[in-house]
Amino acid sequence: MDLTRREALEALVAKCAPVATAALALPAADAEEIEAGPKAPVGMLYDATLCIGCKACVVACAEANDLPPDVTLDGLHQAPEDLNAFTKNIIKLYKPTEQSQDSFVKLQCMHCLDPACVAACPFHSLWKNQNDGVVAWEPSRCIGCRYCEIACPYHVPKFEWERINPKIVKCELCKPRLAKGYEPACTSVCPTHAVIFGPREDLLAAGKKRIAESPDKYFENRVYGEHDAGGTQVLYLSHVPFEEIGLPTLGNAPIPARLKWQKRVYKFFAIPLLLCGILTGVMRRNWKDHEKEMREEEERTGLRPQL
Amino acid sequence: MKHIVVRWQRGVPVYAVPLLTPFFLYLCCMGAYSVIFSIYREVTGLGRVTGMNDIYAWGIWKTFNTMVLTGLGSGGFAIGIAAWIFYRRELHAVMRTAVLTSLVAYWSGLIALGIDVGRPWNFYQVLMPWRYNGHSPLLEVCICMPVYATFPLFLENTPPLLERWFYTWPSFRPILVNRIFPIIRATYPYVIALAYALPLLHQSSLGALMLLGGARVHTLWQTPFLPLLYVWAAGFLGFSCVIGVLMVSCLAWKRPMDMSILTILARIMAWLIVAWDGFRFLEIVARGQTAAAFAFDRFSLLFWLETLLVAVPAVYILSHRYGLKPSRLFGADVMIAVGGMLYRVDPTTFAFVARPGAVYFPSGIEAIIAVGYVCLAIAAFIVAVKYLPILPAPMSSWRNLENYAHVVHGIEMREA
């Protein structure tokens, strides 16, 4: 029995070691770790130079998503100050000083190609549709840990703090409307077409065309979200710095890439198993010595040895 | 008394002391408050009870009760690895204390975590592996931590209880000796291996949690090595907690102190700190963030406070190989514990700037719940050490206990 167990253990270690090494040092690991993105990502293109700040999209969003009015500001008017448990979409005015150039900005979920919230969520409650790429929340899986709020670089997922059955509130690109063949509520009501809906590729091309048509009109002559944080499905054009209107500089690597080593360590559970195997091996050897010493102690003192 | 060499040889219950003391009742009252307020939190929602908000979505229940308490409760595996894996036999004397502090600290932290999550009824999914997001560090934590606290850590704590039954429950004795003890002897190495593998995994994953926080965690703390630094800090924090618990217990119940074992523990802890701090400095220099450490802003001062709180006592301990005074050791140990706790709490609180201007301050009820569960953990510890042979003592205390138990309870402590 003893021998077979030892053999089993050694076989385990012998099997695990190459897998563990492979998992850690696979040359193609980087390419493999980049998850295949959605097949046909759809999104929105928001052009800050066209937005007149009418907030029709805010109202349409609240109506389409059945959101209660947010009257926290004065107890009377629907006037959200930021994205919150009642607000999935908001228009803000950026005007730092009297003289400076001002700009509106529309904020909602960016529907990242490789979203941080989805990587963080322990039970796939936040999940990314592999077809249209919409990031949605599944209530039956959420444990309410709020890790998504820590992870999202855009501060998008919001938690219903006041409820005993709290939900995560975030833009889901009007998922039910898309299923019926309509476009999202916000893009459908925009009077100046400052925000438009379409396949991500088309929107990207449209954005680049606008930049080409009027060079130096747009900040950095680029579309925010083409590569930022691995690419987003909601794209932005702006005449003021992106950072100023709430679009942080995040680099081109997707946020979940920061968990590269975590993923490698837990790949096939090889390294944890190897760790267990090594600890068991050492323990079995030391345990034998320990039992011997305990017997000696018992003979010496006449007391039951303690574990 | 001071010059008599004391050797801790055996776990001996704290006897000839009443259980119900004013301090114990105070702990129970605090525990009762926290239970009542926890029920209140469950029926009113998180927003009414806590100071948390969408920017600071994690409050002290996660940042203190989970991150810090489980760090303090890492003595069970940290000292265990030294005692069992690196085979420092002399440390076996303190193992029972170490695994008991781990048990109460982990459960206290886990209860707070259970109150913190907004939708606990969905937690049944831990039994549904096909729903796991294997890449999420939080999944690792919320599977691994309860499994560790429920199985290996609990099993590690059963020998003292069975030992008590052996002496107090004569009719149960044959079953214990013939059935249960052989099973324990056969399975113990595997339980131990699991009891050290799991904490290494989830304590590092606790650090990995903040990797997704990115630039929100200040650059002095945010590093790809955060998981390693976190599990390492848990290691020395566990040592410091067990040293502190042993010394306070000895003072409170007038038990003799074995400075040789405490010095060994302190020296291992000090070496862990030297290596940890050294690695941390090298890492900061290698990332080119030296300037941030010397910016002398809020963060850099916090960084130096952490560093000095652990490094100065560590150097002091290492430079006093012989004749370390108990009072000095205790002071050094408290400083290390505070510094280590600060390190564990900083990446999610003081060094976590999610949005300039946003603030989080725990509400009164939130703080009472957090402290109350710590009080319950201490109360559980006191009950355990008064009834079970856990705290180490010289062999003579056991002999005295034999007479005491015989006189007071009519229990025969000698072998049947």
Side-chain angles (χ1 to χ4, degrees), chain B residues 20 22-34 372 375-376 379 383:
Chain B
L20 293 177
F23 179 63
F24 183 76
L25 290 175
Y26 165 76
L27 292 177
C28 290
C29 284
M30 286 299 289
Y33 276 129
S34 66
C375 290
L376 269 190
V383 173

Side-chain angles (χ1 to χ4, degrees), chain B residues 113-308:
Chain B
L113 195 60
I115 294 162
D116 177 90
V117 294
R119 301 168 64 87
W121 50 87
N122 278 340
F123 209 73
Y124 67 91
Q125 293 172 113
V126 295
L127 302 171
M128 301 160 87
W130 58 92
R131 289 192 173 185
Y132 290 178
N133 174 9
H135 294 163
S136 167
L138 194 70
L139 178 94
E140 214 287 324
V141 171
C142 68
I143 304 290
C144 196
M145 215 184 250
V147 168
Y148 169 63
T150 314
F151 301 108
L153 187 54
F154 183 77
L155 290 173
E156 274 189 294
N157 275 284
T158 47
L161 186 66
L162 297 179
E163 194 179 320
R164 179 183 163 84
W165 285 344
F166 178 89
Y167 290 117
T168 59
W169 193 355
S171 59
F172 189 50
R173 201 177 286 185
I175 302 172
L176 271 176
V177 174
N178 298 327
R179 299 279 170 82
I180 296 176
F181 288 157
I183 293 175
I184 290 182
R185 272 206 290 277
T187 54
Y188 208 67
Y190 304 97
V191 171
I192 290 280
L194 210 55
Y196 302 159
L198 293 180
L200 286 175
L201 297 178
H202 66 234
Q203 287 295 339
S204 60
S205 288
L206 278 178
L209 284 178
M210 294 321 286
L211 290 178
L212 282 182
R216 290 177 193 180
V217 181
H218 189 265
T219 177
L220 288 172
W221 285 267
Q222 181 63 279
T223 131
F225 291 100
L226 201 54
L228 181 67
L229 287 168
Y230 243 61
V231 68
W232 206 329
F236 71 73
L237 206 46
F239 269 88
S240 74
C241 178
V242 172
I243 294 174
V245 164
L246 283 168
M247 295 189 89
V248 170
S249 302
C250 285
L251 287 175
W253 294 304
K254 299 188 176 57
R255 293 163 70 99
M257 224 179 265
D258 181 345
M259 281 311 289
S260 67
I261 289 185
L262 286 175
T263 308
I264 293 171
L265 285 173
R267 288 182 66 82
I268 298 175
M269 171 174 73
W271 280 117
L272 280 173
I273 289 169
V274 168
W276 179 81
D277 245 344
F279 180 78
R280 203 174 165 208
F281 270 105
L282 281 179
E283 200 276 329
I284 285 170
V285 172
R287 271 191 299 124
Q289 299 297 335
T290 326
F294 292 100
F296 294 106
D297 54 357
R298 182 157 70 97
F299 302 104
S300 121
L301 290 176
L302 194 60
F303 168 77
W304 285 108
L305 182 65
E306 273 176 11
T307 307
L308 294 178

Side-chain angles (χ1 to χ4, degrees), chain A residues 144-166:
Chain A
C145 66
R146 313 182 297 284
Y147 191 22
C148 47
E149 298 201 78
I150 299 286
C152 175
Y154 301 103
H155 292 290
V156 166
K158 300 293 174 186
F159 186 75
E160 291 183 329
W161 294 97
E162 299 302 321
R163 294 184 54 175
I164 57 166
N165 178 10

Side-chain angles (χ1 to χ4, degrees), chain A residues 116-288:
Chain A
C117 59
V118 171
C121 186
F123 293 107
H124 291 302
S125 170
L126 283 162
W127 60 287
K128 190 167 176 71
N129 188 315
Q130 282 310 300
N131 191 34
D132 59 14
V134 170
V135 178
W137 178 74
E138 167 57 43
S140 70
R141 291 183 166 214
C142 176
I143 58 168
C145 66
R146 313 182 297 284
Y147 191 22
C148 47
E149 298 201 78
I150 299 286
C152 175
Y154 301 103
H155 292 290
V156 166
K158 300 293 174 186
F159 186 75
E160 291 183 329
W161 294 97
E162 299 302 321
R163 294 184 54 175
I164 57 166
N165 178 10
K167 296 184 183 66
I168 293 291
V169 178
K170 71 178 277 300
C171 159
E172 298 183 338
L173 213 63
C174 286
K175 203 158 55 104
R177 285 176 60 95
L178 292 189
K180 286 183 201 158
Y182 300 118
E183 60 180 291
C186 56
T187 61
S188 72
V189 296
C190 184
T192 58
H193 299 292
V195 60
I196 53 173
F197 172 79
R200 183 174 183 269
E201 278 175 41
D202 299 358
L203 296 174
L204 200 55
K208 284 180 175 171
K209 197 168 155 234
R210 288 185 205 177
I211 292 171
E213 279 166 4
S214 24
D216 296 330
K217 179 181 175 190
Y218 295 108
F219 177 67
E220 286 181 347
N221 281 326
R222 73 181 184 105
V223 181
Y224 185 95
E226 183 181 7
H227 301 297
D228 299 77
T232 59
Q233 285 171 223
V234 177
L235 306 165
Y236 283 81
L237 286 171
S238 165
H239 51 292
V240 295
F242 294 125
E243 190 93 32
E244 307 282 345
I245 53 171
L247 300 168
T249 311
L250 296 166
N252 291 347
I255 309 286
R258 293 175 195 157
L259 294 176
K260 188 168 75 178
W261 281 97
Q262 187 80 359
K263 288 181 185 176
R264 287 184 183 182
V265 166
Y266 288 95
K267 203 170 198 179
F268 311 126
F269 223 62
I271 292 182
L273 279 177
L274 183 72
L275 181 65
C276 269
I278 293 170
L279 287 173
T280 314
V282 177
M283 262 312 290
R284 277 167 54 87
R285 201 193 64 211
N286 290 351
W287 177 250
K288 272 186 193 143

Side-chain angles (χ1 to χ4, degrees), chain B residues 38 127 155 194 316 361 381 415:
Chain B
S38 304
L127 302 171
L155 290 173
L194 210 55
Y316 178 80
F361 196 81
F381 180 87
E415 289 296 299

